[in-house]
Amino acid sequence: MTIRIAIVGLGKIARDQHLPAIEKDARFELAAVASRSAGVDGVPHFTDLAELLASDVQFDAVALCTPPQVRHTIARQAIDAGKHVMLEKPPGATLSEVEDLKAAAAAKGVTLQTTWHSRYATAVAPAQTWLSGKTIKSVQINWKEDVRVWHPGQTWIWQAGGLGVFDPGINALSIATVVLPAFFLEKATLHVPENCQSPVEAQLTFRTVTGAPVKADFDFLQTGEQSWDIIIDTDGGELKLSHGGSRLWVDGVLAHEGPDEEYPGLYDAFARLIAAGGSDVDVSPLRHVADAFLLGERVTAPAFVE
């Protein structure tokens, strides 16, 4: 069965990742786009989901690629209309919003998927396999990128609920929550520009349930070489996930490398969930971010200028 899917919010992530993944997967057909500012040639275009729902365009599912601050209202519209929903990360502005969507989807009998795309990076599954049975001694996460390159002009990211540096940092946490044992935040420092509501830099200290320290350094002002690395020291050697999880190193030797299949992996999982009548709603990465905002010490940083 072909899944007719509509994209709501046609920004950079939708164009760079969702459209190619939909085109690549024969199980999906792009049925419509709902966006205030852009469309796709040859595809019905609407300004918002409400206008799409009021039309005669037939579709089965939506991929919500809007900023998280407005995602809950749109997701509820889709669920209430009986549509399956894929939530771009982060899945909502608050944990309570996602719990409400989970309950609504279950009551309506539709699929709801929280999409942690970095978990589908090609080296993450091999890393899980390698770590199985080993004792973790320490973890260092370095997730540093240039916001001006990856999020140009996206002012929503600096507003309350926009997450700031946690927008990329949550990708690291999404990997950590599947390759590590449970871990908990002990302290955090959030560097918030004087003209923003969300941090541009953060240092986090966690500890696993087995007592291993987990440290994370997130930076949104990294220039030059970008860093998306997780280094795990174990009793069986050192594992390093680099390039956002696409390369696996063991004791400095490249052990696994593959192509970027993150979003094709997400859409494959979405199609399987729909076929099985199930949902996948995991908020563990978002919970760690919420803990950082709850527990973190805020330090005023210089104003951010695009």
Side-chain angles (χ1 to χ4, degrees), residues 184-231:
F184 306 94
L185 186 69
E186 292 188 325
K187 63 179 179 179
T189 303
L190 311 181
H191 302 259
V192 182
E194 60 184 15
N195 61 337
C196 299
Q197 297 296 318
S198 57
V200 70
E201 183 183 351
Q203 293 85 39
L204 312 173
T205 300
F206 304 89
R207 191 164 296 277
T208 70
V209 290
T210 57
V214 179
K215 295 185 180 293
D217 291 328
F218 298 155
D219 187 355
F220 230 173
L221 298 177
Q222 177 87 342
T223 57
E225 186 176 356
Q226 311 286 276
S227 303
W228 301 292
D229 305 325
I230 300 176
I231 303 163

mmCIF file of all heavy atoms in Angstrom, residues 184-231:
data_model
loop_
_atom_site.group_PDB
_atom_site.id
_atom_site.type_symbol
_atom_site.label_atom_id
_atom_site.label_comp_id
_atom_site.label_asym_id
_atom_site.label_seq_id
_atom_site.Cartn_x
_atom_site.Cartn_y
_atom_site.Cartn_z
ATOM 1 N N PHE A 184 22.150 9.964 34.278
ATOM 2 C CA PHE A 184 21.380 11.036 34.892
ATOM 3 C C PHE A 184 22.244 12.285 35.038
ATOM 4 O O PHE A 184 23.447 12.200 35.306
ATOM 5 C CB PHE A 184 20.866 10.600 36.269
ATOM 6 C CG PHE A 184 20.093 9.309 36.232
ATOM 7 C CD1 PHE A 184 20.721 8.095 36.476
ATOM 8 C CD2 PHE A 184 18.747 9.311 35.905
ATOM 9 C CE1 PHE A 184 20.022 6.904 36.416
ATOM 10 C CE2 PHE A 184 18.034 8.122 35.837
ATOM 11 C CZ PHE A 184 18.676 6.916 36.090
ATOM 12 N N LEU A 185 21.607 13.438 34.850
ATOM 13 C CA LEU A 185 22.318 14.707 34.924
ATOM 14 C C LEU A 185 22.683 15.053 36.363
ATOM 15 O O LEU A 185 21.857 14.942 37.268
ATOM 16 C CB LEU A 185 21.454 15.824 34.340
ATOM 17 C CG LEU A 185 22.129 17.201 34.216
ATOM 18 C CD1 LEU A 185 23.216 17.165 33.153
ATOM 19 C CD2 LEU A 185 21.089 18.276 33.889
ATOM 20 N N GLU A 186 23.933 15.474 36.566
ATOM 21 C CA GLU A 186 24.383 15.929 37.881
ATOM 22 C C GLU A 186 24.536 17.442 37.933
ATOM 23 O O GLU A 186 24.200 18.077 38.924
ATOM 24 C CB GLU A 186 25.712 15.264 38.240
ATOM 25 C CG GLU A 186 25.609 13.763 38.479
ATOM 26 C CD GLU A 186 26.893 13.175 39.007
ATOM 27 O OE1 GLU A 186 27.985 13.638 38.605
ATOM 28 O OE2 GLU A 186 26.820 12.253 39.841
ATOM 29 N N LYS A 187 25.059 18.030 36.861
ATOM 30 C CA LYS A 187 25.167 19.489 36.803
ATOM 31 C C LYS A 187 25.297 19.939 35.354
ATOM 32 O O LYS A 187 25.643 19.145 34.466
ATOM 33 C CB LYS A 187 26.363 19.986 37.622
ATOM 34 C CG LYS A 187 27.712 19.513 37.126
ATOM 35 C CD LYS A 187 28.816 20.091 38.006
ATOM 36 C CE LYS A 187 30.193 19.605 37.527
ATOM 37 N NZ LYS A 187 31.282 20.177 38.366
ATOM 38 N N ALA A 188 24.995 21.211 35.125
ATOM 39 C CA ALA A 188 25.066 21.760 33.773
ATOM 40 C C ALA A 188 25.330 23.256 33.845
ATOM 41 O O ALA A 188 24.899 23.933 34.788
ATOM 42 C CB ALA A 188 23.769 21.500 33.021
ATOM 43 N N THR A 189 26.044 23.752 32.854
ATOM 44 C CA THR A 189 26.252 25.188 32.692
ATOM 45 C C THR A 189 25.760 25.577 31.308
ATOM 46 O O THR A 189 26.202 24.995 30.308
ATOM 47 C CB THR A 189 27.737 25.564 32.839
ATOM 48 O OG1 THR A 189 28.226 25.133 34.113
ATOM 49 C CG2 THR A 189 27.923 27.073 32.729
ATOM 50 N N LEU A 190 24.831 26.508 31.262
ATOM 51 C CA LEU A 190 24.226 26.948 30.008
ATOM 52 C C LEU A 190 24.643 28.390 29.739
ATOM 53 O O LEU A 190 24.388 29.278 30.557
ATOM 54 C CB LEU A 190 22.698 26.855 30.090
ATOM 55 C CG LEU A 190 22.104 25.547 30.613
ATOM 56 C CD1 LEU A 190 20.584 25.628 30.614
ATOM 57 C CD2 LEU A 190 22.587 24.363 29.802
ATOM 58 N N HIS A 191 25.271 28.626 28.590
ATOM 59 C CA HIS A 191 25.726 29.961 28.214
ATOM 60 C C HIS A 191 24.681 30.573 27.285
ATOM 61 O O HIS A 191 24.541 30.158 26.126
ATOM 62 C CB HIS A 191 27.081 29.879 27.519
ATOM 63 C CG HIS A 191 28.146 29.228 28.351
ATOM 64 N ND1 HIS A 191 29.096 29.946 29.037
ATOM 65 C CD2 HIS A 191 28.382 27.911 28.635
ATOM 66 C CE1 HIS A 191 29.903 29.116 29.684
ATOM 67 N NE2 HIS A 191 29.479 27.875 29.463
ATOM 68 N N VAL A 192 23.936 31.546 27.793
ATOM 69 C CA VAL A 192 22.818 32.134 27.061
ATOM 70 C C VAL A 192 23.188 33.539 26.602
ATOM 71 O O VAL A 192 23.466 34.410 27.433
ATOM 72 C CB VAL A 192 21.554 32.185 27.941
ATOM 73 C CG1 VAL A 192 20.381 32.749 27.149
ATOM 74 C CG2 VAL A 192 21.210 30.799 28.487
ATOM 75 N N PRO A 193 23.210 33.810 25.286
ATOM 76 C CA PRO A 193 23.499 35.166 24.808
ATOM 77 C C PRO A 193 22.524 36.171 25.396
ATOM 78 O O PRO A 193 21.342 35.869 25.607
ATOM 79 C CB PRO A 193 23.329 35.045 23.287
ATOM 80 C CG PRO A 193 23.601 33.598 22.998
ATOM 81 C CD PRO A 193 23.030 32.853 24.172
ATOM 82 N N GLU A 194 23.016 37.370 25.642
ATOM 83 C CA GLU A 194 22.206 38.381 26.327
ATOM 84 C C GLU A 194 20.979 38.799 25.533
ATOM 85 O O GLU A 194 20.020 39.326 26.105
ATOM 86 C CB GLU A 194 23.069 39.613 26.627
ATOM 87 C CG GLU A 194 23.669 40.283 25.413
ATOM 88 C CD GLU A 194 24.594 41.429 25.778
ATOM 89 O OE1 GLU A 194 24.996 41.522 26.949
ATOM 90 O OE2 GLU A 194 24.897 42.250 24.889
ATOM 91 N N ASN A 195 20.966 38.517 24.232
ATOM 92 C CA ASN A 195 19.809 38.866 23.407
ATOM 93 C C ASN A 195 18.989 37.644 22.995
ATOM 94 O O ASN A 195 18.167 37.714 22.081
ATOM 95 C CB ASN A 195 20.254 39.627 22.167
ATOM 96 C CG ASN A 195 21.189 38.811 21.275
ATOM 97 O OD1 ASN A 195 21.849 37.880 21.735
ATOM 98 N ND2 ASN A 195 21.260 39.176 19.996
ATOM 99 N N CYS A 196 19.200 36.503 23.671
ATOM 100 C CA CYS A 196 18.507 35.260 23.315
ATOM 101 C C CYS A 196 17.871 34.627 24.549
ATOM 102 O O CYS A 196 18.157 35.017 25.683
ATOM 103 C CB CYS A 196 19.477 34.258 22.683
ATOM 104 S SG CYS A 196 20.261 34.835 21.156
ATOM 105 N N GLN A 197 17.025 33.621 24.301
ATOM 106 C CA GLN A 197 16.368 32.899 25.381
ATOM 107 C C GLN A 197 16.870 31.457 25.516
ATOM 108 O O GLN A 197 16.471 30.751 26.439
ATOM 109 C CB GLN A 197 14.851 32.874 25.145
ATOM 110 C CG GLN A 197 14.206 34.245 25.162
ATOM 111 C CD GLN A 197 14.323 34.912 26.522
ATOM 112 O OE1 GLN A 197 14.147 34.277 27.547
ATOM 113 N NE2 GLN A 197 14.629 36.198 26.525
ATOM 114 N N SER A 198 17.732 31.035 24.610
ATOM 115 C CA SER A 198 18.245 29.663 24.652
ATOM 116 C C SER A 198 19.766 29.684 24.514
ATOM 117 O O SER A 198 20.337 30.632 23.962
ATOM 118 C CB SER A 198 17.594 28.805 23.565
ATOM 119 O OG SER A 198 17.808 29.377 22.292
ATOM 120 N N PRO A 199 20.439 28.648 25.005
ATOM 121 C CA PRO A 199 21.902 28.687 25.101
ATOM 122 C C PRO A 199 22.620 28.479 23.772
ATOM 123 O O PRO A 199 22.147 27.763 22.884
ATOM 124 C CB PRO A 199 22.213 27.546 26.076
ATOM 125 C CG PRO A 199 21.077 26.604 25.926
ATOM 126 C CD PRO A 199 19.870 27.459 25.657
ATOM 127 N N VAL A 200 23.790 29.073 23.682
ATOM 128 C CA VAL A 200 24.655 28.915 22.527
ATOM 129 C C VAL A 200 25.760 27.907 22.817
ATOM 130 O O VAL A 200 26.433 27.416 21.907
ATOM 131 C CB VAL A 200 25.253 30.272 22.108
ATOM 132 C CG1 VAL A 200 26.283 30.764 23.139
ATOM 133 C CG2 VAL A 200 25.859 30.230 20.721
ATOM 134 N N GLU A 201 25.921 27.578 24.101
ATOM 135 C CA GLU A 201 26.964 26.651 24.523
ATOM 136 C C GLU A 201 26.503 25.999 25.818
ATOM 137 O O GLU A 201 25.768 26.596 26.605
ATOM 138 C CB GLU A 201 28.275 27.415 24.742
ATOM 139 C CG GLU A 201 29.467 26.576 25.115
ATOM 140 C CD GLU A 201 30.712 27.427 25.384
ATOM 141 O OE1 GLU A 201 30.675 28.643 25.114
ATOM 142 O OE2 GLU A 201 31.707 26.853 25.871
ATOM 143 N N ALA A 202 26.923 24.759 26.047
ATOM 144 C CA ALA A 202 26.544 24.070 27.284
ATOM 145 C C ALA A 202 27.578 23.015 27.639
ATOM 146 O O ALA A 202 28.151 22.370 26.757
ATOM 147 C CB ALA A 202 25.171 23.418 27.140
ATOM 148 N N GLN A 203 27.832 22.889 28.942
ATOM 149 C CA GLN A 203 28.655 21.803 29.463
ATOM 150 C C GLN A 203 27.801 21.008 30.442
ATOM 151 O O GLN A 203 27.172 21.580 31.334
ATOM 152 C CB GLN A 203 29.905 22.330 30.181
ATOM 153 C CG GLN A 203 30.917 23.006 29.277
ATOM 154 C CD GLN A 203 30.591 24.474 29.030
ATOM 155 O OE1 GLN A 203 30.153 25.185 29.942
ATOM 156 N NE2 GLN A 203 30.790 24.926 27.805
ATOM 157 N N LEU A 204 27.746 19.696 30.233
ATOM 158 C CA LEU A 204 26.889 18.828 31.026
ATOM 159 C C LEU A 204 27.710 17.721 31.660
ATOM 160 O O LEU A 204 28.635 17.188 31.040
ATOM 161 C CB LEU A 204 25.807 18.196 30.147
ATOM 162 C CG LEU A 204 25.028 19.119 29.208
ATOM 163 C CD1 LEU A 204 24.127 18.305 28.304
ATOM 164 C CD2 LEU A 204 24.215 20.119 29.996
ATOM 165 N N THR A 205 27.353 17.372 32.900
ATOM 166 C CA THR A 205 27.983 16.246 33.580
ATOM 167 C C THR A 205 26.899 15.278 34.017
ATOM 168 O O THR A 205 25.990 15.646 34.759
ATOM 169 C CB THR A 205 28.789 16.709 34.809
ATOM 170 O OG1 THR A 205 29.816 17.606 34.387
ATOM 171 C CG2 THR A 205 29.428 15.514 35.512
ATOM 172 N N PHE A 206 26.992 14.046 33.514
ATOM 173 C CA PHE A 206 26.063 12.978 33.865
ATOM 174 C C PHE A 206 26.823 11.874 34.596
ATOM 175 O O PHE A 206 28.054 11.854 34.632
ATOM 176 C CB PHE A 206 25.430 12.354 32.614
ATOM 177 C CG PHE A 206 24.718 13.301 31.696
ATOM 178 C CD1 PHE A 206 25.390 13.954 30.668
ATOM 179 C CD2 PHE A 206 23.350 13.534 31.824
ATOM 180 C CE1 PHE A 206 24.731 14.807 29.796
ATOM 181 C CE2 PHE A 206 22.676 14.383 30.959
ATOM 182 C CZ PHE A 206 23.367 15.013 29.941
ATOM 183 N N ARG A 207 26.075 10.929 35.124
ATOM 184 C CA ARG A 207 26.658 9.708 35.661
ATOM 185 C C ARG A 207 25.726 8.553 35.337
ATOM 186 O O ARG A 207 24.505 8.678 35.476
ATOM 187 C CB ARG A 207 26.878 9.815 37.174
ATOM 188 C CG ARG A 207 27.745 8.670 37.740
ATOM 189 C CD ARG A 207 28.247 9.015 39.122
ATOM 190 N NE ARG A 207 29.136 10.175 39.096
ATOM 191 C CZ ARG A 207 30.434 10.140 38.809
ATOM 192 N NH1 ARG A 207 30.994 8.970 38.493
ATOM 193 N NH2 ARG A 207 31.166 11.216 38.825
ATOM 194 N N THR A 208 26.311 7.442 34.891
ATOM 195 C CA THR A 208 25.491 6.279 34.570
ATOM 196 C C THR A 208 25.053 5.581 35.853
ATOM 197 O O THR A 208 25.596 5.830 36.936
ATOM 198 C CB THR A 208 26.254 5.265 33.692
ATOM 199 O OG1 THR A 208 27.281 4.649 34.478
ATOM 200 C CG2 THR A 208 26.865 5.938 32.477
ATOM 201 N N VAL A 209 24.107 4.680 35.722
ATOM 202 C CA VAL A 209 23.635 3.933 36.887
ATOM 203 C C VAL A 209 24.738 3.055 37.469
ATOM 204 O O VAL A 209 24.671 2.653 38.630
ATOM 205 C CB VAL A 209 22.415 3.067 36.530
ATOM 206 C CG1 VAL A 209 21.201 3.923 36.262
ATOM 207 C CG2 VAL A 209 22.716 2.159 35.331
ATOM 208 N N THR A 210 25.767 2.765 36.672
ATOM 209 C CA THR A 210 26.892 1.969 37.165
ATOM 210 C C THR A 210 28.030 2.839 37.691
ATOM 211 O O THR A 210 29.070 2.318 38.081
ATOM 212 C CB THR A 210 27.414 1.048 36.052
ATOM 213 O OG1 THR A 210 27.782 1.849 34.909
ATOM 214 C CG2 THR A 210 26.349 0.042 35.637
ATOM 215 N N GLY A 211 27.828 4.174 37.665
ATOM 216 C CA GLY A 211 28.805 5.088 38.249
ATOM 217 C C GLY A 211 29.803 5.692 37.293
ATOM 218 O O GLY A 211 30.683 6.451 37.713
ATOM 219 N N ALA A 212 29.708 5.403 36.010
ATOM 220 C CA ALA A 212 30.654 5.958 35.046
ATOM 221 C C ALA A 212 30.319 7.413 34.731
ATOM 222 O O ALA A 212 29.151 7.750 34.509
ATOM 223 C CB ALA A 212 30.639 5.130 33.764
ATOM 224 N N PRO A 213 31.327 8.305 34.699
ATOM 225 C CA PRO A 213 31.059 9.710 34.355
ATOM 226 C C PRO A 213 30.826 9.882 32.860
ATOM 227 O O PRO A 213 31.482 9.245 32.034
ATOM 228 C CB PRO A 213 32.349 10.422 34.786
ATOM 229 C CG PRO A 213 33.413 9.373 34.680
ATOM 230 C CD PRO A 213 32.745 8.071 35.027
ATOM 231 N N VAL A 214 29.850 10.737 32.535
ATOM 232 C CA VAL A 214 29.536 11.075 31.144
ATOM 233 C C VAL A 214 29.557 12.593 31.041
ATOM 234 O O VAL A 214 28.765 13.274 31.698
ATOM 235 C CB VAL A 214 28.152 10.537 30.719
ATOM 236 C CG1 VAL A 214 27.853 10.932 29.276
ATOM 237 C CG2 VAL A 214 28.071 9.035 30.896
ATOM 238 N N LYS A 215 30.473 13.117 30.250
ATOM 239 C CA LYS A 215 30.577 14.566 30.079
ATOM 240 C C LYS A 215 30.233 14.935 28.642
ATOM 241 O O LYS A 215 30.581 14.203 27.707
ATOM 242 C CB LYS A 215 31.980 15.054 30.444
ATOM 243 C CG LYS A 215 32.332 14.863 31.909
ATOM 244 C CD LYS A 215 33.673 15.480 32.228
ATOM 245 C CE LYS A 215 34.013 15.279 33.702
ATOM 246 N NZ LYS A 215 33.094 16.029 34.576
ATOM 247 N N ALA A 216 29.543 16.055 28.493
ATOM 248 C CA ALA A 216 29.152 16.518 27.159
ATOM 249 C C ALA A 216 29.468 17.995 27.019
ATOM 250 O O ALA A 216 29.151 18.799 27.906
ATOM 251 C CB ALA A 216 27.663 16.278 26.928
ATOM 252 N N ASP A 217 30.111 18.342 25.914
ATOM 253 C CA ASP A 217 30.390 19.734 25.570
ATOM 254 C C ASP A 217 29.669 20.048 24.270
ATOM 255 O O ASP A 217 29.959 19.446 23.225
ATOM 256 C CB ASP A 217 31.893 19.966 25.398
ATOM 257 C CG ASP A 217 32.658 19.877 26.701
ATOM 258 O OD1 ASP A 217 32.078 20.247 27.739
ATOM 259 O OD2 ASP A 217 33.819 19.436 26.684
ATOM 260 N N PHE A 218 28.717 20.981 24.334
ATOM 261 C CA PHE A 218 27.959 21.412 23.172
ATOM 262 C C PHE A 218 28.335 22.858 22.853
ATOM 263 O O PHE A 218 28.355 23.707 23.746
ATOM 264 C CB PHE A 218 26.448 21.341 23.435
ATOM 265 C CG PHE A 218 25.931 19.955 23.715
ATOM 266 C CD1 PHE A 218 24.771 19.775 24.453
ATOM 267 C CD2 PHE A 218 26.582 18.827 23.243
ATOM 268 C CE1 PHE A 218 24.272 18.505 24.716
ATOM 269 C CE2 PHE A 218 26.103 17.547 23.493
ATOM 270 C CZ PHE A 218 24.941 17.391 24.231
ATOM 271 N N ASP A 219 28.601 23.139 21.578
ATOM 272 C CA ASP A 219 28.993 24.488 21.173
ATOM 273 C C ASP A 219 28.366 24.780 19.814
ATOM 274 O O ASP A 219 28.498 23.989 18.876
ATOM 275 C CB ASP A 219 30.520 24.577 21.096
ATOM 276 C CG ASP A 219 31.029 25.991 20.849
ATOM 277 O OD1 ASP A 219 30.197 26.907 20.638
ATOM 278 O OD2 ASP A 219 32.251 26.193 20.842
ATOM 279 N N PHE A 220 27.679 25.923 19.708
ATOM 280 C CA PHE A 220 27.012 26.322 18.471
ATOM 281 C C PHE A 220 27.819 27.355 17.690
ATOM 282 O O PHE A 220 27.350 27.862 16.675
ATOM 283 C CB PHE A 220 25.642 26.914 18.809
ATOM 284 C CG PHE A 220 24.503 26.325 18.006
ATOM 285 C CD1 PHE A 220 23.191 26.673 18.307
ATOM 286 C CD2 PHE A 220 24.706 25.443 16.960
ATOM 287 C CE1 PHE A 220 22.122 26.153 17.588
ATOM 288 C CE2 PHE A 220 23.652 24.920 16.233
ATOM 289 C CZ PHE A 220 22.356 25.275 16.552
ATOM 290 N N LEU A 221 29.029 27.680 18.162
ATOM 291 C CA LEU A 221 29.839 28.704 17.511
ATOM 292 C C LEU A 221 31.144 28.134 16.980
ATOM 293 O O LEU A 221 32.106 28.858 16.764
ATOM 294 C CB LEU A 221 30.125 29.853 18.495
ATOM 295 C CG LEU A 221 28.910 30.612 19.016
ATOM 296 C CD1 LEU A 221 29.329 31.665 20.038
ATOM 297 C CD2 LEU A 221 28.141 31.267 17.865
ATOM 298 N N GLN A 222 31.180 26.825 16.770
ATOM 299 C CA GLN A 222 32.385 26.166 16.268
ATOM 300 C C GLN A 222 32.632 26.567 14.821
ATOM 301 O O GLN A 222 31.765 26.434 13.965
ATOM 302 C CB GLN A 222 32.229 24.656 16.359
ATOM 303 C CG GLN A 222 33.397 23.870 15.796
ATOM 304 C CD GLN A 222 34.489 23.644 16.809
ATOM 305 O OE1 GLN A 222 34.543 24.334 17.819
ATOM 306 N NE2 GLN A 222 35.353 22.695 16.551
ATOM 307 N N THR A 223 33.829 27.063 14.545
ATOM 308 C CA THR A 223 34.214 27.377 13.168
ATOM 309 C C THR A 223 35.275 26.375 12.719
ATOM 310 O O THR A 223 35.855 25.658 13.522
ATOM 311 C CB THR A 223 34.757 28.807 13.061
ATOM 312 O OG1 THR A 223 35.864 28.964 13.967
ATOM 313 C CG2 THR A 223 33.681 29.828 13.407
ATOM 314 N N GLY A 224 35.507 26.324 11.422
ATOM 315 C CA GLY A 224 36.468 25.349 10.929
ATOM 316 C C GLY A 224 35.876 23.951 10.982
ATOM 317 O O GLY A 224 34.703 23.733 10.673
ATOM 318 N N GLU A 225 36.690 22.990 11.384
ATOM 319 C CA GLU A 225 36.240 21.610 11.441
ATOM 320 C C GLU A 225 35.139 21.436 12.473
ATOM 321 O O GLU A 225 35.249 21.904 13.599
ATOM 322 C CB GLU A 225 37.409 20.683 11.776
ATOM 323 C CG GLU A 225 37.060 19.210 11.727
ATOM 324 C CD GLU A 225 38.248 18.302 11.966
ATOM 325 O OE1 GLU A 225 39.370 18.845 12.105
ATOM 326 O OE2 GLU A 225 38.064 17.066 12.012
ATOM 327 N N GLN A 226 34.076 20.766 12.089
ATOM 328 C CA GLN A 226 32.954 20.525 12.990
ATOM 329 C C GLN A 226 33.174 19.215 13.739
ATOM 330 O O GLN A 226 33.834 18.296 13.230
ATOM 331 C CB GLN A 226 31.646 20.462 12.200
ATOM 332 C CG GLN A 226 31.455 21.632 11.232
ATOM 333 C CD GLN A 226 31.098 22.933 11.909
ATOM 334 O OE1 GLN A 226 29.944 23.204 12.205
ATOM 335 N NE2 GLN A 226 32.108 23.779 12.137
ATOM 336 N N SER A 227 32.623 19.117 14.954
ATOM 337 C CA SER A 227 32.865 17.946 15.797
ATOM 338 C C SER A 227 31.542 17.326 16.218
ATOM 339 O O SER A 227 30.730 17.985 16.873
ATOM 340 C CB SER A 227 33.664 18.342 17.054
ATOM 341 O OG SER A 227 34.884 18.959 16.703
ATOM 342 N N TRP A 228 31.339 16.061 15.839
ATOM 343 C CA TRP A 228 30.164 15.312 16.271
ATOM 344 C C TRP A 228 30.657 13.945 16.739
ATOM 345 O O TRP A 228 30.504 12.939 16.042
ATOM 346 C CB TRP A 228 29.157 15.168 15.129
ATOM 347 C CG TRP A 228 28.662 16.470 14.584
ATOM 348 C CD1 TRP A 228 27.863 17.378 15.206
ATOM 349 C CD2 TRP A 228 28.903 17.013 13.275
ATOM 350 N NE1 TRP A 228 27.595 18.442 14.390
ATOM 351 C CE2 TRP A 228 28.219 18.252 13.193
ATOM 352 C CE3 TRP A 228 29.617 16.577 12.164
ATOM 353 C CZ2 TRP A 228 28.243 19.050 12.054
ATOM 354 C CZ3 TRP A 228 29.645 17.368 11.031
ATOM 355 C CH2 TRP A 228 28.963 18.589 10.981
ATOM 356 N N ASP A 229 31.272 13.914 17.928
ATOM 357 C CA ASP A 229 31.983 12.736 18.392
ATOM 358 C C ASP A 229 31.491 12.264 19.759
ATOM 359 O O ASP A 229 31.178 13.082 20.632
ATOM 360 C CB ASP A 229 33.484 13.019 18.507
ATOM 361 C CG ASP A 229 34.089 13.536 17.213
ATOM 362 O OD1 ASP A 229 33.638 13.100 16.136
ATOM 363 O OD2 ASP A 229 35.010 14.378 17.282
ATOM 364 N N ILE A 230 31.465 10.948 19.937
ATOM 365 C CA ILE A 230 31.199 10.329 21.233
ATOM 366 C C ILE A 230 32.312 9.322 21.485
ATOM 367 O O ILE A 230 32.506 8.383 20.697
ATOM 368 C CB ILE A 230 29.830 9.623 21.266
ATOM 369 C CG1 ILE A 230 28.709 10.626 20.985
ATOM 370 C CG2 ILE A 230 29.607 8.928 22.610
ATOM 371 C CD1 ILE A 230 27.322 9.997 20.904
ATOM 372 N N ILE A 231 33.063 9.517 22.565
ATOM 373 C CA ILE A 231 34.211 8.673 22.895
ATOM 374 C C ILE A 231 33.883 7.905 24.167
ATOM 375 O O ILE A 231 33.578 8.511 25.209
ATOM 376 C CB ILE A 231 35.481 9.522 23.090
ATOM 377 C CG1 ILE A 231 35.745 10.351 21.829
ATOM 378 C CG2 ILE A 231 36.679 8.631 23.417
ATOM 379 C CD1 ILE A 231 36.702 11.503 22.037
#
